[in-house]
Amino acid sequence: MAEALAILQAVLIAVWHLLGWVWWIILPIIFFEADYHLWLDYVKKKFLSKVEYTIFEIKIPKYIEKSFKSMEDVFSALHSIQISKPNFKERVLEGKTQLWISFEIVGNGGGAGFYIRTPKDYRHLVESQMYAQYPDLELIEVDDYTQIFSSMLPNKFWDLWGLDFTFVKEAPYPILTYPFFEAQKEEKTIDPLSSLMETISKLESDEKIWIQLLVKPADDKCKKEGEKIVNKLIGKKEAVPRSYWDYVVEFLYNLVKAPFKPPEWSEDKGSEGSPGLMQHLTPGEREVVQAIQNKISKLLFDTTIRFVYIDRQNAFTRLNITSTMGFFRQFNTLSLNGFKPYKPSVTKGTWPFKKQKEFWKKTVIYKNYLKRKFNSDCKMVLSTEELATIFHFPVTVVEAPVVRRIEAKKGEPPINLPIAK
C-alpha cells in the first residue's frame, strides 16, 4: 500500500512539473476556445437583433375543402428560404445564420386563432404561397398578441406552465402523419386538430393556450442518419473506405513486383455492399423501413415545438395542460417516433431551491416564447408531411365552434362598375 501511494505521489509530482512547463501553452488554447464560442454567440445575437418581423393573423374561410397536402405544399415552398453555408467572414464577423419562421396556434376564451411570424424578407414568399394554396383565406398584419401582458410572467396575478418538445427516438423515425388519419375511416377524414380545438372550446376567459412551431430548412445530416438506420435494419453492409496506409502498402508492394508482374489495385472494402435482408423482414419491420425512407425523401426542417399554458394564480388548473399534451401524444407510436417533454425546459423545480428553480424556468420559457427563440438542443427534424399534420387549418368536419372563420368572402369589383369623376 505504501509503495502504491509513493508511486501515485511521484506521478502527481511529475504531472505538476509538466504543467508548470506547458501551462503557458495550454491555458491560452482553453481560453481561446471559450472566448471564440462566446464571440460567435455575441455576433449571432447582434445579427438576429437587426432582423425585422411581420406577424400575420390567418382568417380562415367558413368552408375548407383543401386537404393536408395543400399545407404540405406551403411548407415545401418555404424550404426555399434556405441559405448557403456562411463563409468565415459571414459566420465569425457578421454572425450570419439561417432565419426561421414561426407557425402559431393561439387559444383563449374567445376561440382559436392561427398566426405566422416571419422575417420581413420572407413576407412576400409567405403571402404568395399561402394564397396559392388557400385563395379564400385572409392574411392580416397584426401586432404581437403576446404583448397583452404588460409585465414578465409569472407574477402575483398570472401563472404559467410550459415546455419544449423533443423526439422519443432518433430524428429519422417519423411521427404518425395525415395519411394515417385519413385512412382511419374511408367515409370521413379525421382531423388531428379536433382534440385541440375541443380543449380550446372549454377555456375560460382568462385561460390561454399558446403553441408555436419554429421551422428552418435542415441540412442533409438527418437524411444520412436515416440511410444508416435503414441499412442497419435491412442488414445491408455499407462501403468501408480504405485507410491511407492501405494505399501506401499496396503501392510499395506493386512497386517491388513491377519488374516481374503488372500492378494490381484492389477496390474499397464493401463497396459492392450486400443485397440486404429486406425479403426476410416482418411486415412491421418493413413498414418502419418504408416510413423512414418516406420521411428522408421529403424536404426536412429543423423544428422547435413550444407549448405554454397561462391562467390566473387563483384559478390555475392542470386539466387543460393534460388535454393539450394528449393532442401531441396522438402522433406517437411505439414502432416509429413521438414527442416527449424536453426535460431541461419543463417548468418544474427540483430540490434544493425548488420554488426558485421553478420560477426561473417559467421566466425562461416565457421569454423564449416571446422572442421565438430556436432551441437547437432538442434536435427535432420534421418533414413537410409531419409539419402539415400538426399545423394546418381545421377542415369542415371540425365541429368545435371556436375556430374564428370568415363568414363572407371578399370579391373583386365588376369590370364595368361606373366610377364617379
Side-chain angles (χ1 to χ4, degrees):
M1 184 67 177
E3 292 181 1
L5 290 175
I7 294 173
L8 179 60
Q9 183 179 8
V11 171
L12 292 176
I13 291 173
V15 171
W16 178 256
H17 286 305
L18 180 62
L19 290 175
W21 295 331
V22 300
W23 67 268
W24 56 276
I25 299 176
I26 297 176
L27 283 182
I29 294 175
I30 295 174
F31 284 120
F32 173 79
E33 182 74 13
D35 291 342
Y36 177 70
H37 288 292
L38 288 174
W39 171 258
L40 290 181
D41 289 340
Y42 168 74
V43 294
K44 182 179 178 180
K45 289 179 180 178
K46 189 175 181 181
F47 172 81
L48 293 175
S49 66
K50 297 178 181 178
V51 179
E52 296 182 349
Y53 292 90
T54 298
I55 297 180
F56 290 115
E57 182 180 4
I58 306 170
K59 296 293 187 179
I60 306 169
K62 188 172 183 179
Y63 298 102
I64 293 183
E65 304 299 337
K66 297 283 186 175
S67 66
F68 296 91
K69 186 67 171 60
S70 297
M71 197 64 213
E72 183 178 354
D73 290 341
V74 171
F75 283 113
S76 296
L78 294 181
H79 197 276
S80 62
I81 68 174
Q82 187 174 32
I83 63 174
S84 58
K85 188 176 180 180
N87 57 37
F88 180 83
K89 178 184 176 183
E90 293 172 332
R91 182 170 57 89
V92 178
L93 300 181
E94 301 173 5
K96 186 176 181 180
T97 187
Q98 175 69 59
L99 301 179
W100 53 89
I101 301 175
S102 179
F103 294 83
E104 304 176 4
I105 303 175
V106 177
N108 51 48
F114 294 82
Y115 296 82
I116 298 177
R117 181 184 185 257
T118 174
K120 284 191 174 181
D121 289 346
Y122 306 151
R123 170 179 178 158
H124 296 302
L125 174 64
V126 171
E127 286 182 298
S128 62
Q129 295 306 319
M130 292 297 294
Y131 285 129
Q133 298 299 328
Y134 300 94
D136 296 330
L137 60 72
E138 294 180 14
L139 294 179
I140 303 175
E141 187 173 348
V142 297
D143 295 330
D144 192 347
Y145 64 88
T146 63
Q147 301 305 313
I148 59 174
F149 298 103
S150 59
S151 61
M152 187 60 62
L153 301 186
N155 54 39
K156 62 181 180 180
F157 301 108
W158 297 93
D159 196 6
L160 68 87
W161 187 94
L163 55 72
D164 293 344
F165 285 96
T166 188
F167 276 145
V168 175
K169 294 183 179 180
E170 294 91 338
Y173 286 91
I175 60 172
L176 290 180
T177 55
Y178 65 80
F180 169 82
F181 295 97
E182 289 178 332
Q184 295 304 296
K185 288 185 178 181
E186 294 181 0
E187 71 279 4
K188 187 177 181 181
T189 300
I190 297 178
D191 192 334
L193 276 182
S194 299
S195 61
L196 180 61
M197 296 298 106
E198 191 64 31
T199 300
I200 292 175
S201 70
K202 294 179 171 60
L203 293 178
E204 300 293 338
S205 58
D206 292 330
E207 294 178 297
K208 305 183 188 309
I209 289 176
W210 293 353
I211 297 171
Q212 60 184 198
L213 284 78
L214 311 176
V215 301
K216 61 181 179 180
D219 55 26
D220 60 351
K221 182 178 179 181
C222 181
K223 183 177 184 297
K224 292 179 179 178
E225 290 178 357
E227 291 171 347
K228 288 182 179 180
I229 292 174
V230 168
N231 289 338
K232 183 177 180 181
L233 290 174
I234 66 177
K236 181 179 179 180
K237 294 181 180 179
E238 298 183 26
V240 180
R242 301 173 64 196
S243 68
Y244 169 78
W245 291 109
D246 286 340
Y247 290 105
V248 172
V249 171
E250 188 173 43
F251 172 78
L252 294 176
Y253 176 75
N254 283 320
L255 182 63
V256 172
K257 69 174 185 178
F260 314 102
K261 188 177 180 182
E264 297 178 354
W265 307 100
S266 58
E267 299 179 358
D268 289 348
K269 298 177 181 178
S271 59
E272 295 288 331
S274 66
L277 303 173
M278 190 69 180
Q279 66 275 17
H280 300 298
L281 298 180
T282 65
E285 292 171 334
R286 191 174 290 109
E287 286 182 4
V288 171
V289 170
Q290 291 173 347
I292 295 175
Q293 290 176 328
N294 177 66
K295 175 173 180 174
I296 62 178
S297 68
K298 296 179 177 289
L299 296 174
L300 303 174
F301 287 82
D302 290 326
T303 308
T304 293
I305 300 180
R306 184 168 293 127
F307 162 45
V308 172
Y309 172 73
I310 302 172
D311 196 6
R312 287 194 174 273
Q313 288 276 8
N314 58 4
F316 196 89
T317 174
R318 292 183 174 272
L319 179 61
N320 291 316
I321 296 174
T322 305
S323 299
T324 307
M325 294 296 289
F327 160 71
F328 286 100
R329 287 195 192 95
Q330 69 181 321
F331 305 113
N332 295 16
T333 177
L334 294 177
S335 59
L336 296 174
N337 214 337
F339 298 119
K340 68 177 181 179
Y342 179 62
K343 287 186 178 180
S345 72
V346 180
T347 53
K348 181 179 180 181
T350 55
W351 187 90
F353 309 113
K354 181 178 179 180
K355 289 185 177 179
Q356 291 83 351
K357 289 180 179 178
E358 184 173 317
F359 177 82
W360 177 78
K361 283 192 170 185
K362 289 178 179 179
T363 302
V364 169
I365 198 75
Y366 184 66
K367 283 183 178 180
N368 290 346
Y369 193 99
L370 298 184
K371 296 179 179 178
R372 278 77 175 184
K373 184 177 180 181
F374 205 93
N375 189 347
S376 300
D377 295 332
C378 293
K379 298 180 180 177
M380 287 209 303
V381 180
L382 294 176
S383 68
T384 53
E385 184 177 295
E386 292 172 302
L387 289 172
T389 303
I390 302 169
F391 187 94
H392 58 274
F393 308 122
V395 295
T396 310
V397 298
V398 177
E399 303 293 344
V402 294
V403 182
R404 298 196 287 267
R405 299 183 186 270
I406 303 172
E407 295 298 329
K409 186 171 72 172
K410 290 183 178 180
E412 296 293 332
I415 299 175
N416 59 351
L417 181 70
I419 301 175
K421 294 184 178 179

PDB file of all heavy atoms in Angstrom, residues 359-379:
ATOM      1  N   PHE A 359     -39.574  29.028 -10.652  1.00  0.00           N
ATOM      2  CA  PHE A 359     -39.839  30.408 -11.083  1.00  0.00           C
ATOM      3  C   PHE A 359     -38.886  30.801 -12.217  1.00  0.00           C
ATOM      4  O   PHE A 359     -39.309  31.415 -13.209  1.00  0.00           O
ATOM      5  CB  PHE A 359     -39.670  31.370  -9.906  1.00  0.00           C
ATOM      6  CG  PHE A 359     -39.858  32.808 -10.275  1.00  0.00           C
ATOM      7  CD1 PHE A 359     -41.128  33.355 -10.360  1.00  0.00           C
ATOM      8  CD2 PHE A 359     -38.756  33.614 -10.558  1.00  0.00           C
ATOM      9  CE1 PHE A 359     -41.308  34.695 -10.719  1.00  0.00           C
ATOM     10  CE2 PHE A 359     -38.918  34.945 -10.915  1.00  0.00           C
ATOM     11  CZ  PHE A 359     -40.200  35.484 -10.986  1.00  0.00           C
ATOM     12  N   TRP A 360     -37.615  30.439 -12.078  1.00  0.00           N
ATOM     13  CA  TRP A 360     -36.627  30.775 -13.108  1.00  0.00           C
ATOM     14  C   TRP A 360     -36.960  30.081 -14.429  1.00  0.00           C
ATOM     15  O   TRP A 360     -36.896  30.701 -15.498  1.00  0.00           O
ATOM     16  CB  TRP A 360     -35.236  30.376 -12.632  1.00  0.00           C
ATOM     17  CG  TRP A 360     -34.171  30.621 -13.652  1.00  0.00           C
ATOM     18  CD1 TRP A 360     -33.597  31.814 -13.971  1.00  0.00           C
ATOM     19  CD2 TRP A 360     -33.562  29.644 -14.506  1.00  0.00           C
ATOM     20  NE1 TRP A 360     -32.667  31.651 -14.963  1.00  0.00           N
ATOM     21  CE2 TRP A 360     -32.624  30.330 -15.320  1.00  0.00           C
ATOM     22  CE3 TRP A 360     -33.714  28.274 -14.661  1.00  0.00           C
ATOM     23  CZ2 TRP A 360     -31.854  29.671 -16.265  1.00  0.00           C
ATOM     24  CZ3 TRP A 360     -32.950  27.619 -15.612  1.00  0.00           C
ATOM     25  CH2 TRP A 360     -32.029  28.313 -16.398  1.00  0.00           C
ATOM     26  N   LYS A 361     -37.354  28.808 -14.380  1.00  0.00           N
ATOM     27  CA  LYS A 361     -37.692  28.067 -15.599  1.00  0.00           C
ATOM     28  C   LYS A 361     -38.924  28.659 -16.275  1.00  0.00           C
ATOM     29  O   LYS A 361     -38.998  28.721 -17.511  1.00  0.00           O
ATOM     30  CB  LYS A 361     -37.917  26.592 -15.275  1.00  0.00           C
ATOM     31  CG  LYS A 361     -36.642  25.798 -15.063  1.00  0.00           C
ATOM     32  CD  LYS A 361     -36.929  24.310 -15.034  1.00  0.00           C
ATOM     33  CE  LYS A 361     -35.645  23.490 -15.073  1.00  0.00           C
ATOM     34  NZ  LYS A 361     -35.928  22.037 -15.170  1.00  0.00           N
ATOM     35  N   LYS A 362     -39.906  29.069 -15.485  1.00  0.00           N
ATOM     36  CA  LYS A 362     -41.102  29.685 -16.064  1.00  0.00           C
ATOM     37  C   LYS A 362     -40.748  30.994 -16.756  1.00  0.00           C
ATOM     38  O   LYS A 362     -41.273  31.293 -17.841  1.00  0.00           O
ATOM     39  CB  LYS A 362     -42.143  29.930 -14.972  1.00  0.00           C
ATOM     40  CG  LYS A 362     -42.797  28.653 -14.452  1.00  0.00           C
ATOM     41  CD  LYS A 362     -43.794  28.950 -13.345  1.00  0.00           C
ATOM     42  CE  LYS A 362     -44.457  27.664 -12.863  1.00  0.00           C
ATOM     43  NZ  LYS A 362     -45.431  27.921 -11.766  1.00  0.00           N
ATOM     44  N   THR A 363     -39.866  31.762 -16.134  1.00  0.00           N
ATOM     45  CA  THR A 363     -39.436  33.022 -16.745  1.00  0.00           C
ATOM     46  C   THR A 363     -38.706  32.773 -18.062  1.00  0.00           C
ATOM     47  O   THR A 363     -38.932  33.469 -19.058  1.00  0.00           O
ATOM     48  CB  THR A 363     -38.513  33.789 -15.787  1.00  0.00           C
ATOM     49  OG1 THR A 363     -39.191  34.028 -14.556  1.00  0.00           O
ATOM     50  CG2 THR A 363     -38.092  35.123 -16.382  1.00  0.00           C
ATOM     51  N   VAL A 364     -37.854  31.752 -18.086  1.00  0.00           N
ATOM     52  CA  VAL A 364     -37.079  31.430 -19.290  1.00  0.00           C
ATOM     53  C   VAL A 364     -37.994  30.977 -20.422  1.00  0.00           C
ATOM     54  O   VAL A 364     -37.864  31.438 -21.571  1.00  0.00           O
ATOM     55  CB  VAL A 364     -36.025  30.347 -18.980  1.00  0.00           C
ATOM     56  CG1 VAL A 364     -35.394  29.817 -20.267  1.00  0.00           C
ATOM     57  CG2 VAL A 364     -34.944  30.903 -18.071  1.00  0.00           C
ATOM     58  N   ILE A 365     -38.930  30.055 -20.137  1.00  0.00           N
ATOM     59  CA  ILE A 365     -39.798  29.542 -21.205  1.00  0.00           C
ATOM     60  C   ILE A 365     -40.689  30.655 -21.751  1.00  0.00           C
ATOM     61  O   ILE A 365     -40.976  30.720 -22.956  1.00  0.00           O
ATOM     62  CB  ILE A 365     -40.646  28.350 -20.705  1.00  0.00           C
ATOM     63  CG1 ILE A 365     -41.209  27.544 -21.891  1.00  0.00           C
ATOM     64  CG2 ILE A 365     -41.786  28.808 -19.822  1.00  0.00           C
ATOM     65  CD1 ILE A 365     -40.213  26.694 -22.586  1.00  0.00           C
ATOM     66  N   TYR A 366     -41.102  31.585 -20.883  1.00  0.00           N
ATOM     67  CA  TYR A 366     -41.934  32.703 -21.331  1.00  0.00           C
ATOM     68  C   TYR A 366     -41.131  33.653 -22.226  1.00  0.00           C
ATOM     69  O   TYR A 366     -41.601  34.078 -23.289  1.00  0.00           O
ATOM     70  CB  TYR A 366     -42.493  33.453 -20.127  1.00  0.00           C
ATOM     71  CG  TYR A 366     -43.450  34.563 -20.489  1.00  0.00           C
ATOM     72  CD1 TYR A 366     -44.678  34.280 -21.080  1.00  0.00           C
ATOM     73  CD2 TYR A 366     -43.123  35.898 -20.245  1.00  0.00           C
ATOM     74  CE1 TYR A 366     -45.560  35.293 -21.409  1.00  0.00           C
ATOM     75  CE2 TYR A 366     -44.009  36.925 -20.580  1.00  0.00           C
ATOM     76  CZ  TYR A 366     -45.218  36.616 -21.160  1.00  0.00           C
ATOM     77  OH  TYR A 366     -46.092  37.619 -21.498  1.00  0.00           O
ATOM     78  N   LYS A 367     -39.897  33.955 -21.818  1.00  0.00           N
ATOM     79  CA  LYS A 367     -39.029  34.802 -22.642  1.00  0.00           C
ATOM     80  C   LYS A 367     -38.753  34.142 -23.990  1.00  0.00           C
ATOM     81  O   LYS A 367     -38.771  34.807 -25.037  1.00  0.00           O
ATOM     82  CB  LYS A 367     -37.710  35.067 -21.925  1.00  0.00           C
ATOM     83  CG  LYS A 367     -37.789  36.100 -20.803  1.00  0.00           C
ATOM     84  CD  LYS A 367     -36.413  36.324 -20.219  1.00  0.00           C
ATOM     85  CE  LYS A 367     -36.438  37.380 -19.121  1.00  0.00           C
ATOM     86  NZ  LYS A 367     -35.080  37.590 -18.539  1.00  0.00           N
ATOM     87  N   ASN A 368     -38.483  32.838 -23.973  1.00  0.00           N
ATOM     88  CA  ASN A 368     -38.215  32.118 -25.221  1.00  0.00           C
ATOM     89  C   ASN A 368     -39.413  32.165 -26.154  1.00  0.00           C
ATOM     90  O   ASN A 368     -39.264  32.254 -27.376  1.00  0.00           O
ATOM     91  CB  ASN A 368     -37.828  30.675 -24.924  1.00  0.00           C
ATOM     92  CG  ASN A 368     -36.455  30.564 -24.275  1.00  0.00           C
ATOM     93  OD1 ASN A 368     -35.680  31.521 -24.266  1.00  0.00           O
ATOM     94  ND2 ASN A 368     -36.145  29.402 -23.725  1.00  0.00           N
ATOM     95  N   TYR A 369     -40.623  32.085 -25.567  1.00  0.00           N
ATOM     96  CA  TYR A 369     -41.818  32.156 -26.410  1.00  0.00           C
ATOM     97  C   TYR A 369     -41.962  33.548 -27.020  1.00  0.00           C
ATOM     98  O   TYR A 369     -42.237  33.696 -28.219  1.00  0.00           O
ATOM     99  CB  TYR A 369     -43.068  31.807 -25.600  1.00  0.00           C
ATOM    100  CG  TYR A 369     -44.280  31.561 -26.474  1.00  0.00           C
ATOM    101  CD1 TYR A 369     -44.679  30.268 -26.794  1.00  0.00           C
ATOM    102  CD2 TYR A 369     -45.007  32.617 -27.030  1.00  0.00           C
ATOM    103  CE1 TYR A 369     -45.773  30.040 -27.622  1.00  0.00           C
ATOM    104  CE2 TYR A 369     -46.090  32.401 -27.859  1.00  0.00           C
ATOM    105  CZ  TYR A 369     -46.469  31.105 -28.152  1.00  0.00           C
ATOM    106  OH  TYR A 369     -47.542  30.892 -28.986  1.00  0.00           O
ATOM    107  N   LEU A 370     -41.779  34.585 -26.197  1.00  0.00           N
ATOM    108  CA  LEU A 370     -41.913  35.955 -26.703  1.00  0.00           C
ATOM    109  C   LEU A 370     -40.927  36.235 -27.831  1.00  0.00           C
ATOM    110  O   LEU A 370     -41.269  36.874 -28.826  1.00  0.00           O
ATOM    111  CB  LEU A 370     -41.693  36.958 -25.566  1.00  0.00           C
ATOM    112  CG  LEU A 370     -42.668  36.925 -24.381  1.00  0.00           C
ATOM    113  CD1 LEU A 370     -42.343  38.058 -23.427  1.00  0.00           C
ATOM    114  CD2 LEU A 370     -44.109  37.021 -24.845  1.00  0.00           C
ATOM    115  N   LYS A 371     -39.691  35.749 -27.668  1.00  0.00           N
ATOM    116  CA  LYS A 371     -38.642  36.009 -28.646  1.00  0.00           C
ATOM    117  C   LYS A 371     -38.632  34.999 -29.786  1.00  0.00           C
ATOM    118  O   LYS A 371     -37.856  35.125 -30.725  1.00  0.00           O
ATOM    119  CB  LYS A 371     -37.281  36.001 -27.949  1.00  0.00           C
ATOM    120  CG  LYS A 371     -37.112  37.102 -26.918  1.00  0.00           C
ATOM    121  CD  LYS A 371     -35.742  37.011 -26.247  1.00  0.00           C
ATOM    122  CE  LYS A 371     -35.548  38.119 -25.225  1.00  0.00           C
ATOM    123  NZ  LYS A 371     -34.229  38.019 -24.537  1.00  0.00           N
ATOM    124  N   ARG A 372     -39.489  33.981 -29.682  1.00  0.00           N
ATOM    125  CA  ARG A 372     -39.495  32.877 -30.659  1.00  0.00           C
ATOM    126  C   ARG A 372     -38.083  32.307 -30.790  1.00  0.00           C
ATOM    127  O   ARG A 372     -37.539  32.147 -31.881  1.00  0.00           O
ATOM    128  CB  ARG A 372     -39.995  33.335 -32.014  1.00  0.00           C
ATOM    129  CG  ARG A 372     -41.514  33.397 -32.147  1.00  0.00           C
ATOM    130  CD  ARG A 372     -42.111  34.591 -31.480  1.00  0.00           C
ATOM    131  NE  ARG A 372     -43.556  34.686 -31.734  1.00  0.00           N
ATOM    132  CZ  ARG A 372     -44.311  35.698 -31.311  1.00  0.00           C
ATOM    133  NH1 ARG A 372     -43.778  36.671 -30.596  1.00  0.00           N
ATOM    134  NH2 ARG A 372     -45.595  35.715 -31.560  1.00  0.00           N
ATOM    135  N   LYS A 373     -37.486  32.003 -29.661  1.00  0.00           N
ATOM    136  CA  LYS A 373     -36.105  31.525 -29.645  1.00  0.00           C
ATOM    137  C   LYS A 373     -36.034  30.071 -30.080  1.00  0.00           C
ATOM    138  O   LYS A 373     -36.753  29.217 -29.582  1.00  0.00           O
ATOM    139  CB  LYS A 373     -35.513  31.673 -28.235  1.00  0.00           C
ATOM    140  CG  LYS A 373     -34.043  31.296 -28.147  1.00  0.00           C
ATOM    141  CD  LYS A 373     -33.494  31.539 -26.753  1.00  0.00           C
ATOM    142  CE  LYS A 373     -32.014  31.165 -26.679  1.00  0.00           C
ATOM    143  NZ  LYS A 373     -31.464  31.368 -25.310  1.00  0.00           N
ATOM    144  N   PHE A 374     -35.145  29.801 -31.008  1.00  0.00           N
ATOM    145  CA  PHE A 374     -34.975  28.432 -31.514  1.00  0.00           C
ATOM    146  C   PHE A 374     -34.141  27.619 -30.528  1.00  0.00           C
ATOM    147  O   PHE A 374     -33.105  28.074 -30.052  1.00  0.00           O
ATOM    148  CB  PHE A 374     -34.286  28.457 -32.877  1.00  0.00           C
ATOM    149  CG  PHE A 374     -34.578  27.256 -33.716  1.00  0.00           C
ATOM    150  CD1 PHE A 374     -35.621  27.267 -34.624  1.00  0.00           C
ATOM    151  CD2 PHE A 374     -33.829  26.101 -33.588  1.00  0.00           C
ATOM    152  CE1 PHE A 374     -35.894  26.149 -35.401  1.00  0.00           C
ATOM    153  CE2 PHE A 374     -34.094  24.990 -34.347  1.00  0.00           C
ATOM    154  CZ  PHE A 374     -35.128  25.006 -35.255  1.00  0.00           C
ATOM    155  N   ASN A 375     -34.624  26.416 -30.199  1.00  0.00           N
ATOM    156  CA  ASN A 375     -33.915  25.535 -29.268  1.00  0.00           C
ATOM    157  C   ASN A 375     -33.243  24.414 -30.051  1.00  0.00           C
ATOM    158  O   ASN A 375     -33.862  23.398 -30.358  1.00  0.00           O
ATOM    159  CB  ASN A 375     -34.883  24.965 -28.229  1.00  0.00           C
ATOM    160  CG  ASN A 375     -34.173  24.223 -27.109  1.00  0.00           C
ATOM    161  OD1 ASN A 375     -32.984  23.915 -27.211  1.00  0.00           O
ATOM    162  ND2 ASN A 375     -34.881  23.931 -26.041  1.00  0.00           N
ATOM    163  N   SER A 376     -31.986  24.597 -30.372  1.00  0.00           N
ATOM    164  CA  SER A 376     -31.254  23.603 -31.172  1.00  0.00           C
ATOM    165  C   SER A 376     -30.923  22.356 -30.367  1.00  0.00           C
ATOM    166  O   SER A 376     -30.583  21.312 -30.947  1.00  0.00           O
ATOM    167  CB  SER A 376     -29.957  24.210 -31.717  1.00  0.00           C
ATOM    168  OG  SER A 376     -30.227  25.322 -32.542  1.00  0.00           O
ATOM    169  N   ASP A 377     -31.009  22.426 -29.034  1.00  0.00           N
ATOM    170  CA  ASP A 377     -30.682  21.271 -28.201  1.00  0.00           C
ATOM    171  C   ASP A 377     -31.731  20.172 -28.319  1.00  0.00           C
ATOM    172  O   ASP A 377     -31.449  19.014 -28.002  1.00  0.00           O
ATOM    173  CB  ASP A 377     -30.545  21.694 -26.737  1.00  0.00           C
ATOM    174  CG  ASP A 377     -29.375  22.647 -26.524  1.00  0.00           C
ATOM    175  OD1 ASP A 377     -28.408  22.559 -27.298  1.00  0.00           O
ATOM    176  OD2 ASP A 377     -29.438  23.475 -25.601  1.00  0.00           O
ATOM    177  N   CYS A 378     -32.944  20.521 -28.730  1.00  0.00           N
ATOM    178  CA  CYS A 378     -33.999  19.500 -28.850  1.00  0.00           C
ATOM    179  C   CYS A 378     -33.754  18.554 -30.028  1.00  0.00           C
ATOM    180  O   CYS A 378     -34.234  17.420 -30.032  1.00  0.00           O
ATOM    181  CB  CYS A 378     -35.361  20.177 -29.019  1.00  0.00           C
ATOM    182  SG  CYS A 378     -35.889  21.092 -27.556  1.00  0.00           S
ATOM    183  N   LYS A 379     -33.056  19.037 -31.043  1.00  0.00           N
ATOM    184  CA  LYS A 379     -32.652  18.216 -32.190  1.00  0.00           C
ATOM    185  C   LYS A 379     -33.826  17.504 -32.855  1.00  0.00           C
ATOM    186  O   LYS A 379     -33.797  16.299 -33.099  1.00  0.00           O
ATOM    187  CB  LYS A 379     -31.583  17.196 -31.754  1.00  0.00           C
ATOM    188  CG  LYS A 379     -30.310  17.856 -31.250  1.00  0.00           C
ATOM    189  CD  LYS A 379     -29.269  16.820 -30.820  1.00  0.00           C
ATOM    190  CE  LYS A 379     -28.005  17.498 -30.324  1.00  0.00           C
ATOM    191  NZ  LYS A 379     -26.992  16.545 -29.843  1.00  0.00           N
TER     192      LYS A 379
END
